Structures are given as structure tokens and as C-alpha cells.
Amino acid sequence: MDLTDLTIKEAHQGLVKKEFSALELTKAYLDKIEKENKEIFAFLTVNEDLALSQAKKIDDFIAEGKKISILAGIPCAIKDNILVKDIKCTAGSKILENYIAPYDATVIKKLKNQEAVILGKTNLDEFAMGSSTENSAFGPTRNPHDKSRVPGGSSGGSAAAVAGNLCCFALGSDTGGSIRQPASFCGVVGLKPTYGAVSRYGLVAFASSLDQIGPITKIVEDAKIVFDAIKGKDEMDSTSLNSKFKIQKSKLQIKIQNLRIGIPKEYFVKGIDPEVEKVIKGAIKKYTELGAKIEEVSLPHTEYALPAYYIISSSEASANLARYDGIKYGYSKFKIQYSKFKSLLDVYLKTRGNGFGDEVKRRIMLGAYALSAGYYEAYYLRAQRVRTLIKEDFKEAFQKVDFILTPVSPTPAFKLGEKITDPLTMYLSDIFTVSVNLAGLPAVSIPCGKVGNLPVGLQIIGRAFEEEKILKIGKLLEDYELR
Amino acid sequence: MISKQEVKHIAKLARLGLTGKEIEKFQRELSRILDYIEKLKEVDVSKVEPYIHPIKMENIMRKDQAKEKEIEMKKKLIEMAPEKKKGYLKTKSILK
């Protein structure tokens, strides 16, 4: 039995039945990381000692006959923009190269309460800005399905770690598709929760009205287990909420015949790879075969989502990243020369000019431009008005249907280097995912087929706080594929 | 098309020190991105309110009290700063 192949429940049962120990389980992953991380480069930091001592602790619990939680002893990986106390947190940036997290993010506190084993921190595009993980200051991650290709981004390290069996599950963050698109490229499940469903305390801020932390897992059931562990209101994040719509157990017994599924016509237009379209249409057909009613719906402002997203997210980023000033957070390169700076402005200009990578600089400038005197109304305010229209599009569509199915990305994983020199083309990889963040809705990427050997993900979008339902719908497809 | 002068102006607003080569590169790239964003002008937004936040916000109050744990954290944070003196961050002079 390959221990790194197991799902969360399988690994949990193995531990409980003493088929293997937590130490053996963690060691199996650490060995695999040791062998394969050099090439895939999913992990930036591996904390072997901490992981092993945590695993030993679980074995003691089990030996004492204590009941363990479902995540106890389960090895996981954390995107390196989520703080894990006393471990480096770089956000993929040189400017935080030596930053040691002084506290645990709320999601980490929750995983630690359940005694999960944290193997290490995963690679990402710098400050989660990107769609390929090539914007990491520490080098790109490779897709385990084809190592000449990107894993997607920005949670590319987390998705590649799950797909390559370098961890049992991972956490990512999603601002415009950064969980769903890499999940799609790597053939794993990725859930972007409703805005406010999961606390953002301890997540390195990119665009605060869009960011959400969510699970990346091998199967749908695992995504539900992890989501249940990390969700909920947190006093440290005033935008976090408890789900207002407690779904009754009985309502979860989904009768596929009663389901109304919407297909937005605006998502099947020019620009989508015909092979991807074929796979997505094939997945939709499976839902029809299972008895769901498929209806065409319209989200008329879809084509404006991407430009609105880039204005809003970059504006928020330019404000959020103002904190990296060379004074509070250092950029170690200048540490010794600090006295040589001419002025305070000089400190800012040199620290930020040298510490940030190109994509981060581009977005900070785009945001500063959109917020600057004379342009605020034309760009930022207009984008926020368009955002209202996008939210209303979904509201209207959800009066007709219960779920919306779309592709996650217009293409499968592309080659390393293919899009990195052309920022605008790279932005277009997010064209099907950003609307969901603008509207604050939950969505999941479910593997639904392949183009050649490259996985393709189906995006299932639901109403706010209906994560459980979209996961159920995802599971129907997963079960169908296994038949 | 955004001018080189404008790029320099934004870079300064954003406190980014750029080289001459970078200014040229970003002028090109930002121009293309802004051209694409022009698309937003097609939408009639005259009767639409701007979106403020995904969820309805209300004020959340708490006591203004220092917590033991936060004092610990403060020490750690200051420790990581590049320049410090007696528990404070050190900067270049702000007022001349």
C-alpha cells in the first residue's frame, strides 16, 4: 500500500485501525518530498522535525486509546501566504524572505486543534498575484502531470503537492481563481468558499474584499472535511460570518431529478480551447444523464468581469502592500546599508523597487493609477459599479437555477514560459473565475476529464453559503467518473 | 497610451524606485492593460450604485485593552525589523 495515495478518511481509518502509525504516514510523505520536490518545487519550506514530533504525539494518543479527530495525524501543506507560527512565511516574495510568522492564522489554529500534521509551506506567485506560480521569487513549480507545464496559480505549489501525492491535502487562497485554476490544471478538487465563510486572519492580504482561504484535496469528500474544519466566524476577522443559511440535513439528500442547472451562454464563446469545451460539455451531459434539468442562463456582464477585477484587486493591493516599507518589514539586502540612505523616501523607493517582482510592481502601479486624482471615477468607481451589475447577474440567474456550471479555465495547463512575458494574456487565464470573487460566491473545481494527459476542471458555482450543496453536486460527477 | 512621465509619477506615488529600462517596459505593459480596461466604458453605469463590500458590514465593538499575548507578539515583530532602538522601530528623520 502506498500511504501517500490515501484520502483523508482512508488515512484516518488506517490510523485508527493501527494498520500504520502516524509516524509512518508522515515519513512516507517526507520521503516523497525529499525525492520529488527538487523537480516539482511545490514546497518552499519543509518542517520535518515539527511534522515528525506532531506525528509521534498522535501515535501516543492512539496508543493510549484516545479518540482522535478526523484530521489528527493527517499530513498537509500550507500555501506560503498563510501564517504558521515560528515558521518562515515569504508570500513568494524577496521582501519577506526572512519573515518568521509571529502567530498562527486562524485556519492554522483550527487545523492544529484537530492535530493535523503540517509538512511545510508551498510555493505561490508573489503575493498570490499570478496564474502560473512563475511569479514566485524563488522559482517556478512544475505540474506533476507534465513537468514542462505550469501547475496554474497562484496556489500552484499547493495544487501540485496534492496532485503529486506530496501531501494528503493543502490550503490555498483564492482572490480571482487562485484555488480553482491550479486545481483544474493539476486534476484535483479546489474549493473557493463564500466571502466571509473562512477567517482571513493570518492570510497575507492581497485584495481584502476578494481573498478567501480554501481547501485543495484529492477528492470532494476531503474538501468538505477540511472546509468544515476551517470555516466559521472569528473575532479576529470582522468580515467572517457563520453561515446564516443552516441547511437542514434532509435538504442535503439531493434528488438529482429536482435539480436545475444553469449553463451561462457567455462562458462558451471565442477564446475557449475547443478540446476543453468538449470535455466540459461531456461533463454537463453526464448531469443530464443523471436526470438534472439543464437550462441556458445569461450572465450578461461576464466580459466586463476581468477588467473590473483587475482594477479592484490592484487598487486594494496597492493599499495593502504599502506596509512593505523597509521599516516595519525589512528587506535584508539593505540591512547593513541602512545608514547610507539619503532620506526616508530613498528607503521606500529602494526597498520596494528591489524587493518586489515585476508582476507585483505592475499591479501596485495599476492600482495607484486607478485610485489617483483624476482617474478615480473613471476607473475605480466605474469598476465598483460594474461589480454591482455582475452580482445582480448572478442573483437573477439563481432565481431560475440552483447551480451554474462553467469551465474553470479556457485552456489546460500551459508550458512554462509561454505566457510569462505577456501579462495581459496571463490575465485572460482567469476569465472564468474572477466573477465568482467579485460576487462573493462559493465555487469548486472538480476534475472532469482530460485533454491528452492534461486534466480539465469543471466549475460549479452556488449561492452564498451553499458550499455543502456544490460539493454534493461535485460528488455526483466524481461518482459517475468512478462507475 | 500612458506617457513615460505618467509612469514616473505613478511609480513615485506607489513608492517604487524604477530604473529607466523598467519605466519603458511598464509604460508598454500598462498601456496595453489600460487599453483592455477601457472596455469598462462600454457599460452604462449611470443608474448603478458602486459595490462596497461582499457582505453587509456592521460595527463590531470590543474593549480597548492590551492583551498579554499581544505584548509578546510585539516583541517578535520589532525583533524582525531591520533597524530598532529600545523597543521602537528606527527610521530616517521625517521632519527636517
Side-chain angles (χ1 to χ4, degrees), chain A residues 107 109 174 261 282 298 307 341:
Chain A
V107 290
K109 215 179 257 171
D174 191 316
I261 291 178
S298 176
F341 286 115

Side-chain angles (χ1 to χ4, degrees), chain B residues 34-66:
Chain B
L34 287 168
D35 281 350
Y36 174 68
I37 285 167
E38 284 297 299
K39 218 180 167 52
L40 286 179
K41 300 214 165 126
E42 296 167 13
V43 192
D44 178 10
V45 291
S46 53
K47 292 189 189 76
V48 188
E49 285 299 310
Y51 193 95
I52 305 300
H53 216 267
I55 48 177
K56 219 176 170 184
M57 303 277 277
E58 48 190 64
N59 286 332
I60 297 166
M61 312 297 252
R62 62 164 171 79
K63 284 210 172 108
D64 186 19
Q65 267 175 345

Side-chain angles (χ1 to χ4, degrees), chain B residues 54-87:
Chain B
I55 48 177
K56 219 176 170 184
M57 303 277 277
E58 48 190 64
N59 286 332
I60 297 166
M61 312 297 252
R62 62 164 171 79
K63 284 210 172 108
D64 186 19
Q65 267 175 345
K67 288 181 191 161
E68 204 55 42
K69 250 167 55 194
E70 284 169 5
I71 296 165
E72 251 332 282
M73 205 195 291
K74 185 185 140 198
K75 271 189 200 152
K76 281 189 181 176
L77 286 167
I78 289 173
E79 198 118 317
M80 279 190 287
E83 293 277 313
K84 58 242 159 195
K85 200 173 176 183
K86 294 182 182 165

Side-chain angles (χ1 to χ4, degrees), chain A residues 39-327:
Chain A
E39 198 184 359
I40 294 180
F41 200 52
F43 283 89
L44 291 173
T45 308
V46 180
N47 39 307
E48 194 171 330
D49 294 343
L50 255 144
L52 290 173
S53 68
Q54 173 66 15
K56 258 184 223 149
K57 197 168 125 192
I58 304 305
D59 283 335
D60 291 344
F61 284 163
I62 295 168
E64 288 163 26
K66 283 188 187 153
K67 198 171 180 298
I68 58 165
S69 83
I70 180 97
L71 290 177
I74 307 296
C76 65
I78 309 296
K79 187 177 183 181
D80 204 23
N81 60 350
I82 300 171
L83 304 191
V84 180
K85 196 178 174 194
D86 297 332
I87 293 174
K88 225 159 56 168
C89 186
T90 68
S93 181
K94 271 200 288 185
I95 217 157
L96 289 176
E97 199 170 13
N98 297 314
Y99 181 72
I100 311 282
Y103 60 91
D104 277 326
T106 297
V107 290
I108 298 302
K109 215 179 257 171
K110 289 186 173 193
L111 290 183
K112 283 184 175 173
N113 283 344
Q114 287 222 24
E115 307 284 356
V117 171
I118 295 171
L119 295 166
K121 306 294 293 291
T122 55
N123 201 10
L124 68 156
D125 287 295
E126 185 175 2
F127 287 106
M129 296 175 189
S131 312
S132 69
T133 315
E134 290 166 292
N135 292 329
S136 166
F138 307 106
T141 298
R142 290 170 186 275
N143 192 319
H145 292 271
D146 176 346
K147 285 166 191 148
S148 69
R149 290 176 189 268
V150 302
S154 66
S155 310
S158 287
V162 174
N165 284 347
L166 303 183
C167 64
C168 188
F169 72 91
L171 293 187
S173 69
D174 191 316
T175 306
S178 282
I179 287 175
R180 289 159 285 155
Q181 186 255 22
S184 171
F185 281 14
C186 291
V188 292
V189 176
L191 171 69
K192 181 259 171 216
T194 310
Y195 184 83
V198 177
S199 168
R200 291 179 293 112
Y201 180 66
L203 171 68
V204 177
F206 160 14
S208 306
S209 80
L210 301 161
D211 298 341
Q212 267 294 286
I213 296 172
I216 297 178
T217 58
K218 292 173 188 176
I219 59 164
V220 174
E221 181 184 51
D222 288 1
K224 179 170 160 35
I225 293 170
V226 179
F227 174 65
D228 283 343
I230 62 173
K231 70 181 181 187
K233 189 171 171 57
D234 172 20
E235 66 164 9
M236 301 306 285
D237 173 3
S238 54
T239 62
S240 65
L241 296 167
N242 282 322
S243 171
K244 281 183 204 150
F245 315 99
K246 269 250 175 274
I247 304 168
Q248 290 160 352
K249 266 259 148 51
S250 60
K251 286 225 172 122
L252 277 173
Q253 302 303 324
I254 285 174
K255 271 214 185 91
I256 185 94
Q257 289 79 5
N258 300 338
L259 283 183
R260 297 167 307 164
I261 291 178
I263 312 295
K265 58 180 183 204
E266 291 83 2
Y267 281 67
F268 295 88
V269 286
K270 64 176 180 0
I272 181 169
D273 180 324
E275 292 293 312
V276 170
E277 186 171 353
K278 221 159 91 190
V279 173
I280 297 296
K281 292 220 161 127
I284 293 168
K285 198 162 158 256
K286 283 166 194 161
Y287 282 107
T288 322
E289 278 174 38
L290 291 169
K293 286 187 205 77
I294 309 284
E295 274 178 55
E296 189 181 87
V297 291
S298 176
L299 300 168
H301 296 91
T302 297
E303 63 173 314
Y304 304 109
L306 198 68
Y309 168 80
Y310 273 94
I311 289 293
I312 293 164
S313 64
S314 301
S315 298
E316 292 185 21
S318 77
N320 271 329
L321 272 62
R323 73 191 68 179
Y324 305 106
D325 56 4
I327 295 163

Side-chain angles (χ1 to χ4, degrees), chain A residues 85-86 98-100 102-103 109 195-196 201 209 233 235 238-239 241 301 303-304 306-308 310-311 326-330 335 338-339 341-345 347-349 352-353 356 358 361-362 364-366 368-369 372 375 378-379 381-389 391 422-424 427-428 431 438-440, chain B residues 1-2 6-19 22-23 25-27 29-30 32-60 62 67 69-70 72-74 76-84 89-94 96:
Chain A
K85 196 178 174 194
D86 297 332
N98 297 314
Y99 181 72
I100 311 282
Y103 60 91
K109 215 179 257 171
Y195 184 83
Y201 180 66
S209 80
K233 189 171 171 57
E235 66 164 9
S238 54
T239 62
L241 296 167
H301 296 91
E303 63 173 314
Y304 304 109
L306 198 68
Y310 273 94
I311 289 293
I327 295 163
K328 296 190 287 293
Y329 299 85
K335 209 166 176 176
Y338 201 75
S339 58
F341 286 115
K342 290 196 292 279
S343 62
L344 186 62
L345 182 64
V347 175
Y348 294 154
L349 293 177
R352 294 165 63 81
F356 290 135
D358 280 358
K361 285 183 194 165
R362 260 191 301 272
I364 289 176
M365 283 198 284
L366 183 61
Y369 183 72
S372 67
Y375 295 102
Y379 288 103
L381 214 54
R382 176 169 281 267
Q384 289 289 50
R385 292 185 204 275
V386 171
R387 188 175 183 182
T388 300
L389 293 171
K391 192 181 180 181
D422 183 357
L424 189 57
Y427 292 177
L428 293 171
I431 197 149
L438 290 171
Chain B
M1 185 82 181
I2 183 170
E6 277 180 300
V7 177
K8 281 186 188 163
H9 173 65
I10 313 165
K12 195 173 171 198
L13 283 180
R15 298 292 185 260
L16 294 168
L18 302 182
T19 63
E22 278 182 308
I23 289 167
K25 183 172 114 90
F26 288 131
Q27 182 193 4
E29 290 170 350
L30 289 172
R32 265 198 81 204
I33 294 166
L34 287 168
D35 281 350
Y36 174 68
I37 285 167
E38 284 297 299
K39 218 180 167 52
L40 286 179
K41 300 214 165 126
E42 296 167 13
V43 192
D44 178 10
V45 291
S46 53
K47 292 189 189 76
V48 188
E49 285 299 310
Y51 193 95
I52 305 300
H53 216 267
I55 48 177
K56 219 176 170 184
M57 303 277 277
E58 48 190 64
N59 286 332
I60 297 166
R62 62 164 171 79
K67 288 181 191 161
K69 250 167 55 194
E70 284 169 5
E72 251 332 282
M73 205 195 291
K74 185 185 140 198
K76 281 189 181 176
L77 286 167
I78 289 173
E79 198 118 317
M80 279 190 287
E83 293 277 313
K84 58 242 159 195
L89 302 178
K90 199 177 154 193
T91 84
K92 285 272 167 191
S93 61
I94 293 166
K96 284 262 150 66

